[in-house]
Amino acid sequence: MKNIIKTLLFVAVTISIVSCGGNKDSKENKNAKDTAAAVSAPPKPYSEEVNGIKVTEAPNSPEFPDAKLKLISPPKDTILKAGEYPFHFHVENYTLGSMTEGYFKMHCANSAKGQHIHFIMDNTPYFASYDSAFKRPVANGKHLLLSFLSRSYHESIKNKDAYILTQLVAGKKTDTIPDFDLNAQYLFYSRPKGDYVGDEETKKLLLDFYLVNTTISPDGNKVKATINGNEFILTKWVPYMIEGLPMGDNKIDLQLIDKDGKLIPGIFNDSGDRKFTLKPKAK
């Protein structure tokens, strides 16, 4: 009888220990799964509203990972003659003049002429070309040229082969003016630009910029967008949409800042105020 009681007690204790251990393992497994889910979960799209102005990440656009842009003319290190100069680009895996698929889903200004090249000289407002060859004025001196492929609604193609950054020299070359550092960190302003007319164009405006030799992140460099005096800190190189802008003149200033909020040195890393205008559609 005593042996039977001892056996029953042993079994009971064993079951109790196993049961307790099993609960502990179960809790640990659950915690591990919760942690893994939190790590693997994609970050929420950026959205912030300040004084009635709202900035959000734009919807996903068709990607063109194989698109390429090359500058054929002028050849590298050519000294240009000041004045109108014929530029010639080579485009691969991308069709200029075509409408970007799904453009109507963006609900923002869209060019009726289709996809194009953004040509930005010295970070001035871009010139849009729907052909790979065109003429542009070049003044005497040294200039920094950024060109990139753009969707029909002016959103840039952000891949390593879809842009060119180069120095141009027109007139007599002089060493008294330093060359541009093509390896430096650059921020170039692109959109908004010009006039926006009617409900379809003024409700949402595309905010887009181009980064070269740098990245932005929550823990690293960032882009500070000041819209009509309201600050937004952007940590992803993606297109954004702006809503809530008033009719009339508006302005945006973009700055490339470091992790401490200080402006990163560079003559184009502060765009200065870029003005654009929203207008009601004429009746």
Side-chain angles (χ1 to χ4, degrees):
M1 186 66 179
K2 289 181 179 181
N3 290 336
I4 294 175
I5 292 173
K6 287 181 180 180
T7 301
L8 291 174
L9 286 172
F10 175 78
V11 172
V13 170
T14 302
I15 292 174
S16 176
I17 293 172
V18 171
S19 176
C20 290
N23 287 338
K24 183 179 179 181
D25 290 343
S26 178
K27 289 179 181 179
E28 289 178 350
N29 289 338
K30 183 179 184 302
N31 290 337
K33 289 179 180 179
D34 290 343
T35 301
V39 171
S40 61
K44 291 183 179 180
Y46 174 84
S47 179
E48 186 175 3
E49 184 171 341
V50 181
N51 293 328
I53 297 176
K54 187 176 183 180
V55 176
T56 57
E57 285 187 37
N60 291 333
S61 291
E63 295 189 13
F64 299 88
D66 299 322
K68 295 181 180 180
L69 180 68
K70 297 178 181 178
L71 181 62
I72 305 300
S73 178
K76 187 177 179 181
D77 298 327
T78 299
I79 306 298
L80 311 182
K81 183 179 179 180
E84 290 284 319
Y85 187 87
F87 289 87
H88 184 200
F89 291 85
H90 176 68
V91 179
E92 293 182 25
N93 304 317
Y94 196 73
T95 306
L96 299 179
S98 293
M99 206 62 66
T100 303
E101 182 182 353
Y103 70 91
F104 52 88
K105 297 178 183 178
M106 300 300 290
H107 301 291
C108 66
N110 180 70
S111 174
K113 296 180 181 179
Q115 299 174 162
H116 50 279
I117 297 170
H118 277 203
F119 180 96
I120 300 176
M121 182 90 74
D122 299 331
N123 208 18
T124 56
Y126 69 80
F127 168 76
S129 177
Y130 301 84
D131 192 2
S132 59
F134 52 89
K135 291 183 178 181
R136 293 301 294 163
V138 182
N140 281 323
K142 293 181 179 179
H143 307 277
L144 188 64
L145 172 65
L146 171 75
S147 292
F148 56 81
L149 296 174
S150 171
R151 297 172 177 85
S152 61
Y153 39 86
H154 304 287
E155 180 190 327
S156 58
I157 305 298
K158 300 173 178 65
N159 74 46
K160 63 182 180 63
D161 296 318
Y163 81 95
I164 65 100
L165 181 72
T166 190
Q167 175 176 276
L168 301 177
V169 180
K172 186 178 179 180
K173 187 173 183 180
T174 173
D175 293 330
T176 59
I177 302 174
D179 288 339
F180 287 97
D181 183 358
L182 300 183
N183 296 312
Q185 301 180 88
Y186 287 106
L187 163 68
F188 293 89
Y189 183 99
S190 183
R191 297 285 287 186
K193 172 180 176 282
D195 293 343
Y196 297 80
V197 181
D199 292 342
E200 186 68 16
E201 291 190 0
T202 59
K203 185 177 180 181
K204 292 183 178 181
L205 273 66
L206 177 70
L207 169 59
D208 201 26
F209 50 86
Y210 218 86
L211 298 175
V212 179
N213 301 325
T214 189
T215 58
I216 56 176
S217 67
D219 301 323
N221 294 345
K222 302 169 181 63
V223 169
K224 180 169 73 173
T226 305
I227 306 174
N228 292 345
N230 303 290
E231 291 187 1
F232 299 83
I233 302 299
L234 310 177
T235 60
K236 286 193 258 183
W237 187 26
V238 296
Y240 297 87
M241 289 295 182
I242 310 173
E243 299 177 73
L245 293 170
M247 287 292 171
D249 293 336
N250 293 267
K251 60 184 180 180
I252 295 181
D253 175 38
L254 295 183
Q255 293 182 327
L256 181 62
I257 59 176
D258 63 20
K259 61 183 180 61
D260 298 317
K262 296 179 181 179
L263 180 67
I264 293 176
I267 59 174
F268 301 136
N269 290 341
D270 184 344
S271 69
D273 286 339
R274 300 297 181 101
K275 297 180 179 180
F276 54 97
T277 306
L278 276 58
K279 300 178 180 179
K281 194 169 185 178
K283 296 181 179 179

